[in-house]
Amino acid sequence: MWEYTDAVKDHFFNPRNAGVIEDADGVGEVGSLACGDALTLYIKVQDGIITDAKFKTFGCASAIASSSALTELIIGKTVEEAEKLTNKDIANYLGGLPREKMHCSVMGQEALEQAIKNMRGEAGPKAEHSHEGNLVCECFGIFDEEILRAIKENDLQTVEDVTNFTKAGGGCGKCVDEIARLLRQARGETSCPAPCKAPAFPAEGMTNIQRMHLIESVMDQDIRPILQADGGNIQLIDIEKKQVTVKFTGMCSSCPSSKATLENLVEAKLREKVDPDIKVILED
């Protein structure tokens, strides 16, 4: 689904500096296994210069590649030079990241900041939120100040941008309105410029991740039980914008009425409960 650069693939398949520094001068732990991404960064510093860096990462290809790139970027730099590193520098070093995966580069920047704080004795290794802000995204534990910082540093314009860079709003979607409010706040707008209207269809205004979750939910609750009642089933193969690719299994795979089932049940339900422009493709 994601288009990765050759540099991302290289750092993913051949990660540099993976491992642990037992006598590290600074350690930064960010993310959590429960949220799907976690990174621990170790740095060794001598005379103000980062002489070694290693990492342990749990996450996707982008998370591992970003961690690997981060270590190459900071080894040999002074601590002051490393402090100026941004998530954009990490992404640029890799030739770019899919916009939906930019949060991996943000995680690298946060791990570096935490490791430097730890080295200076200002904080423990694990990033702990100050709780001075308000929790916005309960699914991923993202606070308003983190979102506002990401908006400012990356010139984010939409809720989907915020989800791509912070993961906020990528779960249940309850915080989407609050993220939109933070976007307006960051732009200096104090109130909604026009009365908010109800969405024209269920998925209108949703991020890609939210649309994927909604499609999966409709498949599980409204489509699959009907097919299973006749000994069949359905497998979700891919989602590309408004095109959904599926595969029938069980009795449905050889049913002479599969084309009608595809159009009158699968496509009709997804159009009704997700987006009226959805097109469903059947994989052989």
Side-chain angles (χ1 to χ4, degrees):
M1 178 177 291
W2 316 115
E3 292 291 336
Y4 291 120
T5 65
D6 290 340
V8 171
K9 294 174 186 174
D10 183 37
H11 278 270
F12 170 59
F13 288 116
N14 307 287
R16 284 66 145 172
N17 306 306
V20 176
I21 299 177
E22 297 293 349
D23 59 344
D25 295 305
V27 179
E29 298 179 33
V30 297
S32 74
L33 298 182
C35 294
D37 293 303
L39 164 61
T40 302
L41 177 70
Y42 306 84
I43 58 173
K44 193 71 179 173
V45 179
Q46 184 173 3
D47 297 329
I49 297 175
I50 297 175
T51 57
D52 196 9
K54 292 189 181 298
F55 73 93
K56 290 196 305 182
T57 296
F58 173 84
C60 62
S62 296
I64 293 170
S66 294
S67 304
S68 173
L70 171 64
T71 60
E72 286 200 333
L73 281 166
I74 62 175
I75 292 175
K77 280 188 169 58
T78 66
V79 173
E80 288 72 22
E81 289 172 338
E83 279 185 303
K84 298 176 182 176
L85 196 75
T86 69
N87 69 290
K88 290 180 181 177
D89 295 322
I90 298 172
N92 290 338
Y93 190 77
L94 293 167
L97 286 171
R99 199 158 179 83
E100 295 84 352
K101 293 292 182 181
M102 283 299 291
H103 61 269
C104 298
S105 63
V106 175
M107 188 168 68
Q109 180 186 4
E110 292 175 345
L112 175 60
E113 292 172 349
Q114 190 68 25
I116 292 175
K117 287 181 183 177
N118 180 240
M119 179 206 71
R120 290 172 171 160
E122 298 173 355
K126 187 172 180 57
E128 300 288 349
H129 196 275
S130 66
H131 298 293
E132 293 177 352
N134 297 316
L135 179 63
V136 175
C137 178
E138 296 179 4
C139 297
F140 295 107
I142 311 296
F143 284 69
D144 54 358
E145 59 195 41
E146 299 170 81
I147 294 172
L148 287 169
R149 177 185 174 185
I151 292 171
K152 179 180 178 182
E153 293 186 351
N154 298 282
D155 191 26
L156 306 184
Q157 299 294 318
T158 67
V159 172
E160 186 165 359
D161 284 342
V162 173
T163 301
N164 291 338
F165 279 72
T166 69
K167 300 182 78 170
C172 69
K174 288 193 300 184
C175 59
V176 166
D177 289 344
E178 178 60 13
I179 295 172
R181 188 192 68 76
L182 291 172
L183 281 163
R184 293 195 296 273
Q185 177 182 326
R187 289 195 292 262
E189 300 171 9
T190 56
S191 61
C192 188
C196 297
K197 63 178 182 180
F201 52 89
E204 185 183 44
M206 286 187 172
T207 66
N208 285 336
I209 293 175
Q210 290 169 339
R211 285 174 62 90
M212 289 168 61
H213 287 172
L214 181 57
I215 289 171
E216 290 171 346
S217 174
V218 173
M219 296 273 284
D220 288 339
Q221 297 179 21
D222 298 278
I223 298 173
R224 188 164 284 115
I226 296 174
L227 301 179
Q228 289 174 333
D230 290 324
N233 210 331
I234 189 169
Q235 181 181 358
L236 179 60
I237 303 298
D238 191 22
I239 302 172
E240 180 67 27
K241 297 182 179 177
K242 293 179 181 292
Q243 180 171 298
V244 178
T245 303
V246 300
K247 182 178 183 179
F248 282 141
T249 60
M251 295 296 289
C252 293
S253 61
S254 57
C255 178
S257 302
S258 60
K259 186 174 185 297
T261 302
L262 184 76
E263 294 176 354
N264 299 329
L265 174 62
V266 181
E267 191 169 74
K269 281 292 182 185
L270 291 176
R271 287 181 172 181
E272 174 193 350
K273 300 204 168 187
V274 181
D275 187 326
D277 293 328
I278 275 184
K279 176 67 177 176
V280 180
I281 305 298
L282 182 62
E283 183 177 271
D284 295 331

